[in-house]
């Protein structure tokens, strides 16, 4: 099985540790993980995992999008914390072949969480899990765990 982890701009402090956590959880579920991100997010992941304990393939978010229609993934998991991340997630979902998509929507502003949730829900068939979070990764972790538990039950 293969999973695509879609990361937005790494300005939110909780994104990098949650990305490593997601890679770990997905790997434990038997997925080979590809991370699609901008160069800054890719570098943060590399620095955070110097011994490659959480193996994954890294691809550039823009270049990979050009060929995304030719790829098949069992799961697309997107981190959505700003409007550009929502747009990337929606775009990826519209051009890719995938079995399941999950959007992790998080932001410190409740109205933005609502806006991004609505934006993704109206434009994709993805399961959307959302929470108010920025520095603290625990609300995101709780929601990711629930979504992954549901995914295990569906398989």
């Amino acid at each position: 099985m293969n999973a695509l982890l879609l990361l937005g701009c790494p300005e939110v402090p909780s994104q990098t540790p949650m990305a490593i956590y997601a890679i770990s959880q997905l790997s434990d579920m038997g997925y080979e993980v590809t991370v699609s991100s901008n160069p800054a997010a890719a570098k943060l992941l590399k620095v955070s995992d110097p011994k490659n304990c959480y193996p994954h393939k890294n691809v550039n978010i823009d270049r990979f999008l050009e060929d995304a229609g030719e790829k098949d993934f069992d799961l697309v998991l997107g981190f959505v914390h700003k409007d550009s991340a929502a747009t990337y997630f929606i775009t990826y979902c519209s051009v890719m072949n995938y079995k399941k998509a999950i959007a992790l929507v998080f932001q410190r502003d409740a109205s933005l969480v609502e806006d991004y949730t609505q934006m993704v829900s109206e434009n994709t068939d993805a399961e959307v899990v959302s929470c108010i979070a920025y520095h603290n990764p625990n609300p995101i972790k709780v929601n990711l765990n629930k979504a992954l538990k549901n995914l295990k039950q569906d398989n």
Side-chain angles (χ1 to χ4, degrees):
M1 295 187 302
N2 52 20
L4 178 69
L5 180 58
L6 184 58
L7 298 180
C9 181
E11 65 192 30
V12 176
S14 55
Q15 179 174 273
T16 300
M18 280 308 306
I20 297 236
Y21 180 81
I23 293 167
S24 174
Q25 294 301 303
L26 292 170
S27 296
D28 287 350
M29 292 172 65
Y31 287 95
E32 290 184 28
V33 180
T34 299
V35 177
S36 181
S37 66
N38 69 19
K43 287 176 187 170
L44 283 170
L45 282 179
K46 186 173 182 169
V47 168
S48 299
D49 185 20
K51 294 184 179 179
N52 202 26
C53 295
Y54 306 98
H56 62 279
K57 178 182 174 187
N58 254 342
V59 295
N60 179 281
I61 195 166
D62 292 314
R63 284 191 295 243
F64 190 72
L65 187 56
E66 295 171 7
D67 300 323
E70 300 169 15
K71 311 290 184 198
D72 292 325
F73 284 91
D74 296 293
L75 175 65
V76 176
L77 174 62
F79 284 47
V80 178
H81 60 82
K82 59 192 287 185
D83 58 351
S84 60
T87 301
Y88 268 107
F89 183 80
I90 292 164
T91 302
Y92 265 69
C93 286
S94 69
V95 300
M96 292 189 71
N97 299 316
Y98 61 89
K99 292 180 183 173
K100 175 80 173 173
I102 301 171
L104 288 173
V105 177
F106 58 98
Q107 182 47 261
R108 68 171 110 203
D109 182 331
S111 66
L112 290 175
V113 170
E114 186 177 319
D115 290 348
Y116 303 152
T117 298
Q118 182 178 354
M119 190 175 173
V120 171
S121 295
E122 289 177 353
N123 293 287
T124 71
D125 62 354
E127 175 184 351
V128 180
V129 291
S130 58
C131 60
I132 298 170
Y134 193 77
H135 290 99
N136 182 359
N138 281 332
I140 305 165
K141 178 183 168 193
V142 166
N143 282 292
L144 174 60
N145 286 342
K146 287 178 186 175
L148 294 179
K149 182 178 178 183
N150 291 339
L151 183 63
K152 286 179 191 174
Q153 291 173 348
D154 291 345
N155 289 337

